Amino acid sequence: MVTSIPLRDGRSIPAIGFGVYKVDDSGAETAVGVALESGYRHVDTAEMYGNERGVGAAVRASGLRRDDVFVTTKVWNDHQGRDATLRAFDASLERLGLDAVDLYLIHWPAAANDRYVETWQALVELRADGRARSIGVSNFQVPHLQRLIDETGEVPALNQVERHPWLPQLDLVDFHDRHGIATAAWSPLGRGRLIDEPVLTDIARAYGVSVAQVLVRWNLQQGVVVVPKSVTSFRIRSNIDVDGFVLSDADLAAIAGLESGQRTGSHPDTVS
């Protein structure tokens, strides 16, 4: 059973999501269908991924009640600014074929463009009219979050960031905790580069699980929403099957020793 993590707005989000980055519409429809059959109840897409139609089709075809599937999407950098964001949101809803999304995020701060505060105010409007049930951000660092809070008085429900043992982002997570912002982890497997890490392979062997399962469990035990991605049916099912073991304090300490600051994706300061 996938547990949920509370959001500051009184709603909750399933703690394991299913990611569809770099999957086309057809592939997303198939993979999301498998994920929903396997017990996932949270699907994470984005305007930039180009697969909102496939995601929406899979949700509708699943036979699940709409309120039982948590759908996240994101506004891309080119569409920041109030009016452009509102238009982008309408287009995302049309592609998804839904009346509302459960979580709408600003994909990157794109700070050099200096439009993320205005964009955030547009998300506040969308939440007020009920079409975006919760709102948040992605890839924001502490200065970006602090500026949103200072200038609008509105605190994001969630910040989705790259997070894995090489890059646990402890200072950022601490800021989230102090302000009631949920943390979500994209690239929890380090884009596959952590699969052969000896510390992780030893832990996985001890529990009879995969390294991917260890990394999903690692995030869950720290109260972090985790969004693994796969298009392989076996791995889709395996990544959510993490209830049968609990990482020990010694395991967590060993994993903490892997911190290096190494990213597998872009640094937010370089994305515009």
Side-chain angles (χ1 to χ4, degrees):
M1 178 68 68
V2 177
T3 58
S4 293
I5 289 176
L7 299 175
R8 62 175 294 109
D9 57 14
R11 303 181 70 246
S12 61
I13 182 171
I16 302 179
F18 183 69
V20 291
Y21 179 48
K22 291 190 174 179
V23 183
D24 63 17
D25 263 325
S26 176
E29 183 173 357
T30 299
V32 171
V34 172
L36 294 174
E37 289 174 5
S38 303
Y40 291 81
R41 292 296 180 266
H42 170 193
V43 184
D44 183 275
T45 184
E47 171 191 348
M48 188 272 284
Y49 298 171
N51 55 27
E52 289 171 314
R53 291 189 191 280
V55 168
V59 170
R60 292 192 302 277
S62 69
L64 296 165
R65 292 190 314 123
R66 172 64 187 91
D67 287 346
D68 290 338
V69 183
F70 192 103
V71 178
T72 297
T73 194
K74 313 173 189 79
V75 60
W76 185 239
N77 307 341
D78 291 347
H79 294 149
Q80 286 198 23
R82 178 186 179 275
D83 292 345
T85 294
L86 296 177
R87 288 193 298 270
F89 180 81
D90 287 342
S92 284
L93 273 193
E94 189 277 329
R95 288 188 292 268
L96 287 163
L98 302 176
D99 294 328
V101 296
D102 296 281
L103 180 63
Y104 196 47
L105 305 178
I106 303 175
H107 206 145
W108 293 86
N113 302 331
D114 197 23
R115 292 196 297 267
Y116 67 85
V117 174
E118 180 185 350
T119 302
W120 179 239
Q121 291 168 328
L123 266 62
V124 172
E125 291 183 46
L126 291 167
R127 183 187 61 193
D129 72 20
R131 293 190 299 152
R133 294 167 177 166
S134 294
I135 56 173
V137 295
S138 180
N139 301 301
F140 275 49
Q141 297 178 288
V142 168
H144 309 129
L145 293 168
Q146 191 65 63
R147 185 179 173 198
L148 288 188
I149 296 166
D150 290 345
E151 295 190 19
T152 72
E154 295 282 351
V155 181
L158 177 145
N159 186 18
Q160 184 184 122
V161 296
E162 180 178 353
R163 187 176 193 271
H164 44 70
W166 288 341
L167 189 72
Q169 306 236 45
L170 298 179
D171 289 343
L172 180 59
V173 172
D174 178 66
F175 182 92
H176 292 169
D177 291 345
R178 288 186 282 112
H179 290 82
I181 301 169
T183 303
W186 63 260
S187 191
L189 314 184
R191 298 194 177 181
R193 297 175 199 172
L194 282 157
I195 297 300
D196 296 321
E197 173 61 58
V199 168
L200 299 174
T201 58
D202 286 348
I203 293 171
R205 189 177 304 113
Y207 291 104
V209 299
S210 69
V211 169
Q213 288 170 306
V214 169
L215 292 170
V216 170
R217 185 80 212 177
W218 174 75
N219 274 297
L220 295 181
Q221 285 186 214
Q222 297 170 85
V224 173
V225 178
V226 58
V227 186
K229 170 233 169 172
S230 179
V231 294
T232 305
S233 295
F234 172 78
R235 290 184 183 140
I236 292 171
R237 296 187 179 101
S238 173
N239 289 344
I240 200 174
D241 183 17
V242 295
D243 289 338
F245 69 105
V246 176
L247 298 172
S248 69
D249 290 344
D251 296 329
L252 295 174
I255 294 171
L258 296 175
E259 181 177 2
S260 66
Q262 180 178 344
R263 292 179 180 272
T264 63
S266 300
H267 191 288
D269 288 345
T270 68
V271 178
S272 60

